[in-house]
Amino acid sequence: MKSKFTIKKGRCKGCGLCVALCPKNVLALDTLGKVYVKNPEDCIACGQCELRCPDYAIFVDKITDEKEAAK
């Protein structure tokens, strides 16, 4: 399943909850301590990162349409 990530870096305080809770190690923290998508192809769109983020800084949309996946 393909996923589209939206990350609001201005909201991210770098707590690392999303990184710790991702079952596929898709996310990581950059040198400034902000979340980024390290391995997007491994995402299973479980939504744990979005659900657990205390700052509402990350959003995951499941892409089921082939045309959307190509974008």
Side-chain angles (χ1 to χ4, degrees), residues 1-70:
M1 176 169 295
K2 298 279 185 175
S3 303
K4 177 185 173 192
F5 292 88
T6 302
I7 297 176
K8 308 275 186 177
K9 289 205 176 214
R11 293 182 183 177
C12 178
K13 67 181 174 206
C15 69
L17 281 174
C18 58
V19 176
L21 293 170
C22 180
K24 295 294 186 176
N25 297 315
V26 172
L27 304 171
L29 295 179
D30 64 17
T31 56
L32 298 175
K34 304 291 184 173
V35 68
Y36 76 98
V37 182
K38 181 174 74 171
N39 300 310
E41 65 281 351
D42 293 338
C43 182
I44 58 172
C46 68
Q48 287 301 309
C49 57
E50 181 178 351
L51 291 171
R52 304 293 183 200
C53 179
D55 302 309
Y56 304 101
I58 188 164
F59 303 91
V60 180
D61 294 311
K62 295 177 186 177
I63 299 175
T64 55
D65 183 5
E66 292 294 324
K67 292 176 188 173
E68 274 296 311

